Amino acid sequence: MPEDDARSRIAHLYRRAGFGARPDELDAAVAAGYEATVDRLVDLSVADAAAVRSPTFTPPAVIASPGDEAARRAAQQADQRANREEGRKLTQWWIDRMVLSTTPLRERLTLFWHDHFATSIQKVKEPELMYRQNQIFRAQGAGSFEALALAVAKDPAMLVWLDANENKKGKPNENFARELFELFLLGIGNYSEADVQEGARAFTGWQYRRQTGAFALAPNQHDAGAKTVFGQTGNFGGEDVIRMAVAQPASAPYVVSKLWSGFVRPVGANDPVVRQLAPGFAKDQDVGKLMRAIFLHPEFVAPAARTGLVKTPIEYVAGALRALGLRAAAVGNNPPQIMDSLGQQPFAPPSVGGWPPNGYWLTTSFALSRLRIASTIAGNAKLDAITAIPAADRPAAVARLLSVDGWGPSTSAGLAQVAGDPKALLTVALVAPEYVLA
């Protein structure tokens, strides 16, 4: 294919399989070719050469005398202060990982699974638990989907988030079983209320022990009786329920539709492309193989897909920083607050359903927030290379810097008006539709 077309397709691949490409990355990828670039991006057996030092966490304060109310309040306040500071550092750490990663698909999948298995620090409270869950997505997000689902089900952050400690023999709490079927594994309409009720019994006794910081099964709280789930009867535990759920005919199309919707364009489980990809995924549940099939599918680079998604704020900020060689500190010293102003704070999805997609991010309010953050980012960028060329050539140079194919007539006219001011030029480019669309 012509080089311009190849460059456009590979730039699109980098936007979806990561957070966009720097110009040097894109040049190297065009020289290697599209399929070779897909193979390199999906090869997550390699370590991330630019991994950022992990944050450290303070153990929860210990109250020496449980009856001392003043000591209890002081310990609680100390925990809250530590959690706020550690939450700030945790958000900055993850944004920096997205920006600097040499294996961007790993971080992009981590973000996808964080949205899919949505869990919020607002209820979990402890940043270390959110970090540990984040590491599960990073380590297992491209492997077996069943293994990932089981790891998340036993993850302390998820156990806290969906009230596992309240799920006890004789008084089952259905929160986790319901969300497991509805949002994580099957989708609405592909399970019965009886499946939820019996499934909840299977998860009784699954607890988070704050003393050890780990998952534990409390035998005296586990319902060991026979249960009927998805038409099968047995003395099932939670592991059995997950195994049976992912084996249901509806599971593979549901998961494939979620991944296609997150990386390509919104689809339902009955979309033709999902019907093509689901049988292969059902055989091995290998997410990495599925991602390769998605990126090599002709529909991935079709016009409907090229304009099928709007960058979420996290993708937007990480992509802009990556393109400009900046780090999270370039957006300010309180990343959680800044990301919250954009509507998407990492580690704090609004509900178990995750964040809304696409058109949700195109409101006037979010557009103004993007403009403010774009101005901040542009103010911290090194623009000597843009300043050194004639004003008439600057819009094209910024397009190359941001790996954008080019500017439409309206954007070109707007950029021409501010071409004499490189900071203003970059700011306008960062909020242009050609850049905001993923």
Side-chain angles (χ1 to χ4, degrees):
M1 68 181 68
E3 182 175 334
D4 285 352
D5 189 32
R7 189 177 188 87
S8 173
R9 291 181 178 217
I10 294 173
H12 169 70
L13 171 66
Y14 264 92
R15 285 191 292 272
R16 300 298 178 82
F19 304 94
R22 296 185 301 271
D24 60 307
E25 284 182 307
L26 193 51
D27 289 341
V30 171
Y34 185 89
E35 187 167 342
T37 300
V38 169
D39 288 341
R40 187 178 62 78
L41 287 170
V42 301
D43 181 8
L44 298 185
S45 64
V46 298
D48 189 340
V52 182
R53 184 186 295 273
S54 298
T56 56
F57 302 96
T58 304
V62 176
I63 303 173
S65 176
D68 188 336
E69 180 62 21
R72 187 195 66 79
R73 285 199 303 270
Q76 185 179 53
Q77 291 168 359
D79 273 350
Q80 291 171 346
R81 288 193 298 272
N83 286 346
R84 282 195 297 271
E85 178 60 15
E86 290 169 4
R88 183 190 70 79
K89 291 180 179 178
L90 182 63
T91 296
Q92 183 167 330
W93 164 80
W94 193 15
I95 293 174
D96 278 339
R97 284 204 67 140
M98 296 179 208
V99 170
L100 299 174
S101 179
T102 59
T103 54
L105 179 59
R106 180 179 282 122
E107 296 307 313
R108 184 65 181 77
L109 276 168
T110 299
L111 179 59
F112 173 85
W113 292 126
H114 175 40
D115 188 30
H116 182 80
F117 294 105
T119 309
S120 174
I121 196 171
Q122 303 298 335
K123 181 175 179 179
V124 175
K125 304 296 185 185
E126 297 180 48
E128 183 174 6
L129 299 189
M130 299 303 299
Y131 167 76
R132 287 163 55 186
Q133 185 186 76
N134 192 262
Q135 292 287 60
I136 290 173
F137 298 146
R138 183 169 293 106
Q140 298 184 237
S144 160
F145 179 69
E146 180 181 343
L148 174 64
L150 180 57
V152 173
K154 292 185 175 182
D155 170 62
M158 182 61 76
L159 293 169
V160 174
W161 174 239
L162 290 178
D163 307 305
N165 283 21
E166 304 302 316
N167 191 19
K168 300 175 181 179
K169 180 180 179 179
K171 295 180 64 176
N173 183 305
E174 297 175 5
N175 284 1
F176 178 69
R178 186 173 302 281
E179 307 307 349
L180 183 75
F181 298 157
E182 178 178 329
L183 296 174
F184 302 161
L185 305 184
L186 294 170
I188 295 173
N190 296 308
Y191 58 90
S192 69
E193 280 299 303
D195 291 329
V196 172
Q197 293 160 4
E198 295 286 271
R201 290 177 57 211
F203 288 105
T204 51
W206 284 37
Q207 296 184 353
Y208 163 55
R209 299 283 174 82
R210 196 165 188 264
Q211 300 90 330
T212 63
F215 164 84
L217 176 64
N220 62 330
Q221 298 295 345
H222 177 66
D223 185 337
K227 309 160 190 80
T228 300
V229 186
F230 303 124
Q232 300 181 53
T233 301
N235 181 15
F236 299 133
E239 296 92 342
D240 301 307
V241 170
I242 290 173
R243 173 181 51 78
M244 290 189 291
V246 299
Q248 292 298 298
S251 182
Y254 177 71
V255 176
V256 170
S257 71
K258 294 281 285 187
L259 282 158
W260 187 272
S261 295
F263 285 84
V264 190
R265 61 175 174 81
V267 296
N270 291 319
D271 190 273
V273 74
V274 173
R275 292 201 296 268
Q276 290 176 27
L277 295 171
F281 181 66
K283 290 178 182 177
D284 55 24
Q285 297 195 13
D286 187 316
V287 176
K289 285 175 63 176
L290 174 61
M291 296 313 300
R292 185 178 189 277
I294 286 173
F295 297 143
L296 291 177
H297 196 286
E299 288 296 315
F300 178 75
V301 292
R306 301 278 282 271
T307 57
L309 298 177
V310 177
K311 287 188 176 89
T312 67
I314 293 173
E315 294 165 355
Y316 176 84
V317 169
L321 296 177
R322 188 178 179 94
L324 298 167
L326 299 173
R327 296 189 63 168
V331 302
N333 61 7
N334 192 339
Q337 184 179 68
I338 292 162
M339 295 307 302
D340 189 52
S341 74
L342 290 169
Q344 191 184 33
Q345 180 184 336
F347 303 104
S351 73
V352 72
W355 287 282
N358 293 323
Y360 178 81
W361 305 112
L362 295 179
T363 66
T364 301
S365 174
F366 289 141
L368 290 173
S369 296
R370 272 196 302 272
L371 180 60
R372 286 193 294 270
I373 201 70
S375 178
T376 299
I377 291 171
N380 285 296
K382 294 184 181 301
L383 299 174
D384 296 349
I386 303 298
T387 304
I389 61 177
D393 297 332
R394 290 173 181 172
V398 170
R400 178 176 173 81
L401 181 64
L402 300 178
S403 296
V404 172
D405 290 347
W407 308 112
S410 297
T411 302
S412 293
L415 292 173
Q417 292 180 13
V418 295
D421 181 345
K423 176 186 172 182
L425 176 68
L426 178 57
T427 300
V428 173
L430 286 171
V431 297
E434 294 86 348
Y435 186 72
V436 172
L437 289 176

PDB file of all heavy atoms in Angstrom, residues 3 24 35 45 83-84 157 204 211 241 253 321 344 367 372 376 386 395 420:
ATOM      1  N   GLU A   3       2.796   4.606   1.085  1.00  0.00           N
ATOM      2  CA  GLU A   3       3.341   4.877   2.409  1.00  0.00           C
ATOM      3  C   GLU A   3       2.391   5.727   3.244  1.00  0.00           C
ATOM      4  O   GLU A   3       2.240   5.490   4.446  1.00  0.00           O
ATOM      5  CB  GLU A   3       4.695   5.577   2.309  1.00  0.00           C
ATOM      6  CG  GLU A   3       5.297   5.824   3.688  1.00  0.00           C
ATOM      7  CD  GLU A   3       6.698   6.407   3.638  1.00  0.00           C
ATOM      8  OE1 GLU A   3       7.399   6.181   2.645  1.00  0.00           O
ATOM      9  OE2 GLU A   3       7.065   7.077   4.604  1.00  0.00           O
ATOM     10  N   ASP A  24       9.001   9.138  15.977  1.00  0.00           N
ATOM     11  CA  ASP A  24      10.066   8.170  15.726  1.00  0.00           C
ATOM     12  C   ASP A  24       9.534   6.743  15.773  1.00  0.00           C
ATOM     13  O   ASP A  24       9.954   5.887  14.982  1.00  0.00           O
ATOM     14  CB  ASP A  24      11.200   8.353  16.735  1.00  0.00           C
ATOM     15  CG  ASP A  24      10.742   8.166  18.173  1.00  0.00           C
ATOM     16  OD1 ASP A  24       9.759   8.824  18.570  1.00  0.00           O
ATOM     17  OD2 ASP A  24      11.351   7.358  18.911  1.00  0.00           O
ATOM     18  N   GLU A  35       1.637  -5.729   9.633  1.00  0.00           N
ATOM     19  CA  GLU A  35       1.504  -7.006  10.336  1.00  0.00           C
ATOM     20  C   GLU A  35       2.637  -7.219  11.322  1.00  0.00           C
ATOM     21  O   GLU A  35       2.424  -7.716  12.440  1.00  0.00           O
ATOM     22  CB  GLU A  35       1.438  -8.165   9.347  1.00  0.00           C
ATOM     23  CG  GLU A  35       1.120  -9.495  10.020  1.00  0.00           C
ATOM     24  CD  GLU A  35       0.733 -10.597   9.053  1.00  0.00           C
ATOM     25  OE1 GLU A  35       0.379 -10.274   7.897  1.00  0.00           O
ATOM     26  OE2 GLU A  35       0.767 -11.777   9.447  1.00  0.00           O
ATOM     27  N   SER A  45       5.160 -11.066  26.003  1.00  0.00           N
ATOM     28  CA  SER A  45       6.094 -11.904  26.749  1.00  0.00           C
ATOM     29  C   SER A  45       7.346 -11.120  27.112  1.00  0.00           C
ATOM     30  O   SER A  45       8.111 -11.526  27.980  1.00  0.00           O
ATOM     31  CB  SER A  45       6.477 -13.140  25.926  1.00  0.00           C
ATOM     32  OG  SER A  45       7.171 -12.757  24.733  1.00  0.00           O
ATOM     33  N   ASN A  83      -3.665   7.675  52.758  1.00  0.00           N
ATOM     34  CA  ASN A  83      -4.391   7.204  51.579  1.00  0.00           C
ATOM     35  C   ASN A  83      -4.504   8.289  50.516  1.00  0.00           C
ATOM     36  O   ASN A  83      -4.382   8.004  49.321  1.00  0.00           O
ATOM     37  CB  ASN A  83      -5.780   6.706  51.975  1.00  0.00           C
ATOM     38  CG  ASN A  83      -5.732   5.372  52.691  1.00  0.00           C
ATOM     39  OD1 ASN A  83      -4.717   4.677  52.681  1.00  0.00           O
ATOM     40  ND2 ASN A  83      -6.826   5.011  53.341  1.00  0.00           N
ATOM     41  N   ARG A  84      -4.750   9.536  50.927  1.00  0.00           N
ATOM     42  CA  ARG A  84      -4.829  10.623  49.947  1.00  0.00           C
ATOM     43  C   ARG A  84      -3.507  10.801  49.221  1.00  0.00           C
ATOM     44  O   ARG A  84      -3.469  10.927  47.987  1.00  0.00           O
ATOM     45  CB  ARG A  84      -5.245  11.925  50.631  1.00  0.00           C
ATOM     46  CG  ARG A  84      -6.727  12.032  50.952  1.00  0.00           C
ATOM     47  CD  ARG A  84      -7.106  13.451  51.286  1.00  0.00           C
ATOM     48  NE  ARG A  84      -6.431  13.942  52.486  1.00  0.00           N
ATOM     49  CZ  ARG A  84      -6.905  13.802  53.726  1.00  0.00           C
ATOM     50  NH1 ARG A  84      -8.055  13.187  53.919  1.00  0.00           N
ATOM     51  NH2 ARG A  84      -6.241  14.296  54.756  1.00  0.00           N
ATOM     52  N   ALA A 157      -9.434  -5.997  46.443  1.00  0.00           N
ATOM     53  CA  ALA A 157     -10.165  -4.783  46.080  1.00  0.00           C
ATOM     54  C   ALA A 157     -11.575  -5.125  45.599  1.00  0.00           C
ATOM     55  O   ALA A 157     -12.552  -4.462  45.978  1.00  0.00           O
ATOM     56  CB  ALA A 157      -9.409  -4.009  44.995  1.00  0.00           C
ATOM     57  N   THR A 204     -20.170 -17.814  49.055  1.00  0.00           N
ATOM     58  CA  THR A 204     -20.200 -17.532  50.489  1.00  0.00           C
ATOM     59  C   THR A 204     -18.873 -17.934  51.121  1.00  0.00           C
ATOM     60  O   THR A 204     -18.247 -18.920  50.736  1.00  0.00           O
ATOM     61  CB  THR A 204     -21.347 -18.280  51.185  1.00  0.00           C
ATOM     62  OG1 THR A 204     -21.295 -19.673  50.839  1.00  0.00           O
ATOM     63  CG2 THR A 204     -22.704 -17.703  50.786  1.00  0.00           C
ATOM     64  N   GLN A 211      -6.297  -8.032  58.205  1.00  0.00           N
ATOM     65  CA  GLN A 211      -5.106  -8.305  59.013  1.00  0.00           C
ATOM     66  C   GLN A 211      -3.966  -8.836  58.152  1.00  0.00           C
ATOM     67  O   GLN A 211      -2.792  -8.533  58.392  1.00  0.00           O
ATOM     68  CB  GLN A 211      -5.417  -9.307  60.124  1.00  0.00           C
ATOM     69  CG  GLN A 211      -6.506  -8.847  61.097  1.00  0.00           C
ATOM     70  CD  GLN A 211      -7.896  -9.272  60.643  1.00  0.00           C
ATOM     71  OE1 GLN A 211      -8.158  -9.393  59.442  1.00  0.00           O
ATOM     72  NE2 GLN A 211      -8.789  -9.489  61.602  1.00  0.00           N
ATOM     73  N   VAL A 241     -18.306 -21.948  39.622  1.00  0.00           N
ATOM     74  CA  VAL A 241     -19.269 -21.046  38.995  1.00  0.00           C
ATOM     75  C   VAL A 241     -18.590 -20.237  37.884  1.00  0.00           C
ATOM     76  O   VAL A 241     -19.154 -20.064  36.799  1.00  0.00           O
ATOM     77  CB  VAL A 241     -19.904 -20.114  40.041  1.00  0.00           C
ATOM     78  CG1 VAL A 241     -20.721 -19.018  39.382  1.00  0.00           C
ATOM     79  CG2 VAL A 241     -20.779 -20.921  40.987  1.00  0.00           C
ATOM     80  N   PRO A 253     -19.126 -14.532  22.891  1.00  0.00           N
ATOM     81  CA  PRO A 253     -19.598 -13.362  22.133  1.00  0.00           C
ATOM     82  C   PRO A 253     -19.666 -12.099  22.989  1.00  0.00           C
ATOM     83  O   PRO A 253     -19.370 -10.998  22.496  1.00  0.00           O
ATOM     84  CB  PRO A 253     -20.994 -13.785  21.656  1.00  0.00           C
ATOM     85  CG  PRO A 253     -20.956 -15.272  21.640  1.00  0.00           C
ATOM     86  CD  PRO A 253     -20.074 -15.657  22.795  1.00  0.00           C
ATOM     87  N   LEU A 321       0.715  13.427  26.380  1.00  0.00           N
ATOM     88  CA  LEU A 321       2.001  13.434  27.073  1.00  0.00           C
ATOM     89  C   LEU A 321       3.019  12.554  26.355  1.00  0.00           C
ATOM     90  O   LEU A 321       4.194  12.919  26.219  1.00  0.00           O
ATOM     91  CB  LEU A 321       1.821  12.965  28.519  1.00  0.00           C
ATOM     92  CG  LEU A 321       0.959  13.853  29.424  1.00  0.00           C
ATOM     93  CD1 LEU A 321       0.808  13.206  30.801  1.00  0.00           C
ATOM     94  CD2 LEU A 321       1.531  15.248  29.554  1.00  0.00           C
ATOM     95  N   GLN A 344     -12.734  11.584  34.394  1.00  0.00           N
ATOM     96  CA  GLN A 344     -12.292  10.185  34.469  1.00  0.00           C
ATOM     97  C   GLN A 344     -11.040  10.097  35.325  1.00  0.00           C
ATOM     98  O   GLN A 344      -9.924  10.206  34.833  1.00  0.00           O
ATOM     99  CB  GLN A 344     -12.022   9.612  33.076  1.00  0.00           C
ATOM    100  CG  GLN A 344     -11.819   8.095  33.099  1.00  0.00           C
ATOM    101  CD  GLN A 344     -11.450   7.524  31.746  1.00  0.00           C
ATOM    102  OE1 GLN A 344     -10.770   8.179  30.940  1.00  0.00           O
ATOM    103  NE2 GLN A 344     -11.891   6.306  31.473  1.00  0.00           N
ATOM    104  N   ALA A 367     -15.455  19.601  26.993  1.00  0.00           N
ATOM    105  CA  ALA A 367     -14.658  20.304  25.977  1.00  0.00           C
ATOM    106  C   ALA A 367     -13.864  21.445  26.615  1.00  0.00           C
ATOM    107  O   ALA A 367     -12.679  21.654  26.291  1.00  0.00           O
ATOM    108  CB  ALA A 367     -15.562  20.838  24.872  1.00  0.00           C
ATOM    109  N   ARG A 372      -8.567  23.465  28.841  1.00  0.00           N
ATOM    110  CA  ARG A 372      -7.697  23.891  29.941  1.00  0.00           C
ATOM    111  C   ARG A 372      -6.488  22.977  30.064  1.00  0.00           C
ATOM    112  O   ARG A 372      -5.353  23.454  30.211  1.00  0.00           O
ATOM    113  CB  ARG A 372      -8.481  23.905  31.261  1.00  0.00           C
ATOM    114  CG  ARG A 372      -9.452  25.060  31.398  1.00  0.00           C
ATOM    115  CD  ARG A 372      -9.947  25.208  32.826  1.00  0.00           C
ATOM    116  NE  ARG A 372     -10.762  24.074  33.244  1.00  0.00           N
ATOM    117  CZ  ARG A 372     -12.078  24.007  33.093  1.00  0.00           C
ATOM    118  NH1 ARG A 372     -12.731  25.011  32.519  1.00  0.00           N
ATOM    119  NH2 ARG A 372     -12.759  22.948  33.506  1.00  0.00           N
ATOM    120  N   THR A 376      -2.378  23.671  29.408  1.00  0.00           N
ATOM    121  CA  THR A 376      -1.338  23.355  30.385  1.00  0.00           C
ATOM    122  C   THR A 376      -0.256  22.476  29.762  1.00  0.00           C
ATOM    123  O   THR A 376       0.948  22.722  29.943  1.00  0.00           O
ATOM    124  CB  THR A 376      -1.960  22.644  31.600  1.00  0.00           C
ATOM    125  OG1 THR A 376      -2.915  23.500  32.210  1.00  0.00           O
ATOM    126  CG2 THR A 376      -0.900  22.277  32.616  1.00  0.00           C
ATOM    127  N   ILE A 386       9.018  23.349  16.263  1.00  0.00           N
ATOM    128  CA  ILE A 386       7.885  24.011  15.616  1.00  0.00           C
ATOM    129  C   ILE A 386       8.193  25.487  15.401  1.00  0.00           C
ATOM    130  O   ILE A 386       7.936  26.057  14.327  1.00  0.00           O
ATOM    131  CB  ILE A 386       6.606  23.845  16.458  1.00  0.00           C
ATOM    132  CG1 ILE A 386       6.300  22.360  16.701  1.00  0.00           C
ATOM    133  CG2 ILE A 386       5.423  24.547  15.796  1.00  0.00           C
ATOM    134  CD1 ILE A 386       6.031  21.567  15.455  1.00  0.00           C
ATOM    135  N   PRO A 395       1.182  23.932  11.063  1.00  0.00           N
ATOM    136  CA  PRO A 395       0.076  22.988  11.277  1.00  0.00           C
ATOM    137  C   PRO A 395       0.402  21.562  10.821  1.00  0.00           C
ATOM    138  O   PRO A 395       0.059  20.590  11.512  1.00  0.00           O
ATOM    139  CB  PRO A 395      -1.063  23.599  10.458  1.00  0.00           C
ATOM    140  CG  PRO A 395      -0.773  25.067  10.472  1.00  0.00           C
ATOM    141  CD  PRO A 395       0.723  25.149  10.366  1.00  0.00           C
ATOM    142  N   GLY A 420       1.177  31.621  14.258  1.00  0.00           N
ATOM    143  CA  GLY A 420       2.280  32.450  14.725  1.00  0.00           C
ATOM    144  C   GLY A 420       2.643  32.224  16.180  1.00  0.00           C
ATOM    145  O   GLY A 420       3.693  32.686  16.642  1.00  0.00           O
TER     146      GLY A 420
END
